[in-house]
């Protein structure tokens, strides 16, 4: 943090609050710096207060900007018929997640999300495949969307199998094994994954993330709140749903 930027707004007030106030106009730069230093050493809580106020202001500005973006791109976020949907498709509460199958933070968030969705039957959950980490992330997203297009009833199971892996997806052979384990034929899913429409969907997700200023995974949209990063607990998600 830049100390000068923090203390300059305090110079006048501090100077007037010191014995030098009667001759403030005659103070030299070195005098002012000494006064400020002594005052801040005596009252270090001022820096903490200023830091907190700055953070609160930045968060409020970000929230205001996010609300405007969510309004502008509402249909792309909430009403894209190509997106996989979990939970209650007709639920009155919606959570949108941008995720990558090789994202460790996404994997940590999954059980928290599952807990909330299981207990709240009004949650509609929209999956935005957003592969940004590795080439196998991109391959996994294409295979996952192929599963959703051909066998939507198997999408959740396949999605869970990848998200519950301790290690990242290593290669296509692991994807093939996951497809078969979920009860589908690999050749059929592999062929569908090459559909240009799937690539276009992934490109659209990337473009939407860029428009929403999402630069990493996971990212969640809950109501009018954008959560960049994994929630700390299921209660964090519950609080945003209530908000």
């Amino acid at each position: 943090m830049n100390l000068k930027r923090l203390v300059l707004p305090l110079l006048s007030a501090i100077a007037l609050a010191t014995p030098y106030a009667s001759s403030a106009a005659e103070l030299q730069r070195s005098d002012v710096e000494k006064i400020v230093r002594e005052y801040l050493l005596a009252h270090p809580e001022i820096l903490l207060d200023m830091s907190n106020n700055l953070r609160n202001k930045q968060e409020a500005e970000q929230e205001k900007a996010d609300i405007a973006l969510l309004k502008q791109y509402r249909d792309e976020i909430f009403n894209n018929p190509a997106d996989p949907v979990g939970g209650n498709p007709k639920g009155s509460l919606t959570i949108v997640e941008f995720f990558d199958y090789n994202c460790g933070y996404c994997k940590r968030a999954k059980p928290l999300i599952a807990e909330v969705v299981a207990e709240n039957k009004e949650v509609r959950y929209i999956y935005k495949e957003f592969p940004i980490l590795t080439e196998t992330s991109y391959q996994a997203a294409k295979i996952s969307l192929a599963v959703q297009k051909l066998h939507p009833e198997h999408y959740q199971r396949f999605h869970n199998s990848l998200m519950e892996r301790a290690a990242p997806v290593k290669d296509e052979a692991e994807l093939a094994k996951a497809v078969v384990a979920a009860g589908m034929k690999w050749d059929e899913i592999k062929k569908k994954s090459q559909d240009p429409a799937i690539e276009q969907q992934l490109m659209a997700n990337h473009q939407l993330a860029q428009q929403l200023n999402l630069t990493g995974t996971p990212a969640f949209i809950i109501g009018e709140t954008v959560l960049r990063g994994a929630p700390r607990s299921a209660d964090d998600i519950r609080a945003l749903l209530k908000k």
Side-chain angles (χ1 to χ4, degrees):
M1 184 177 294
N2 190 315
L3 183 58
K4 290 183 179 180
R5 291 183 60 188
L6 282 174
V7 301
L8 284 177
L10 296 175
L11 292 181
S12 297
I14 294 175
L16 292 173
T18 67
Y20 298 96
S22 61
S23 57
E26 301 175 6
L27 292 176
Q28 300 297 315
R29 179 185 179 89
S30 59
D31 296 325
V32 174
E33 290 178 347
K34 181 181 179 181
I35 293 170
V36 171
R37 182 176 186 278
E38 290 176 352
Y39 190 87
L40 290 177
L41 286 174
H43 304 281
E45 68 277 3
I46 289 178
L47 293 178
L48 181 59
D49 290 342
M50 294 180 70
S51 177
N52 290 337
N53 287 341
L54 177 60
R55 183 176 65 251
N56 292 338
K57 180 180 179 181
Q58 290 173 333
E59 289 176 353
E61 290 173 349
Q62 181 67 68
E63 184 176 0
K64 183 177 179 180
D66 285 342
I67 290 174
L69 287 172
L70 296 182
K71 182 177 180 180
Q72 181 177 355
Y73 297 104
R74 186 172 187 81
D75 281 342
E76 292 94 325
I77 297 169
F78 299 106
N79 302 318
N80 186 343
D83 288 333
V85 177
N88 178 1
K90 297 182 179 180
S92 60
L93 303 172
T94 300
I95 299 176
V96 181
E97 180 185 6
F98 289 76
F99 64 93
D100 183 306
Y101 282 116
N102 286 332
C103 167
Y105 292 105
C106 299
K107 294 176 186 289
R108 293 179 198 175
K110 184 185 177 302
L112 306 180
I113 295 296
E115 179 181 338
V116 172
V117 173
E119 73 185 18
N120 192 330
K121 302 307 179 183
E122 283 299 315
V123 173
R124 171 177 175 248
Y125 204 88
I126 298 176
Y127 297 92
K128 296 282 189 182
E129 304 268 356
F130 183 40
I132 57 174
L133 294 179
T134 67
E135 179 60 30
T136 53
S137 296
Y138 186 71
Q139 292 175 340
K142 291 179 67 176
I143 293 298
S144 184
L145 287 177
V147 169
Q148 190 261 338
K149 307 303 180 190
L150 292 178
H151 304 286
E153 71 279 8
H154 292 315
Y155 175 82
Q156 190 68 62
R157 181 180 178 188
F158 180 76
H159 172 86
N160 292 347
S161 71
L162 295 187
M163 276 298 177
E164 291 168 3
R165 290 172 53 89
V169 177
K170 183 173 62 176
D171 52 30
E172 189 176 272
E174 291 186 349
L175 291 171
K177 185 181 297 185
V179 166
V180 173
M184 295 165 289
K185 297 179 179 179
W186 167 247
D187 290 344
E188 179 187 39
I189 298 300
K190 170 67 174 177
K191 181 179 179 180
K192 183 61 178 178
S193 72
Q194 298 168 352
D195 186 340
I198 288 179
E199 185 170 351
Q200 291 171 8
Q201 183 174 347
L202 291 175
M203 291 176 61
N205 286 351
H206 275 263
Q207 182 178 2
L208 179 59
Q210 185 176 27
Q211 291 164 332
L212 297 175
N213 297 321
L214 306 180
T215 59
T217 55
F220 299 89
I221 298 171
I222 305 174
E224 292 186 335
T225 300
V226 178
L227 176 62
R228 295 172 174 86
R232 293 168 297 179
S233 69
D235 284 339
D236 286 350
I237 305 168
R238 294 186 186 101
L240 289 175
L241 285 174
K242 290 181 180 179
K243 179 181 177 181

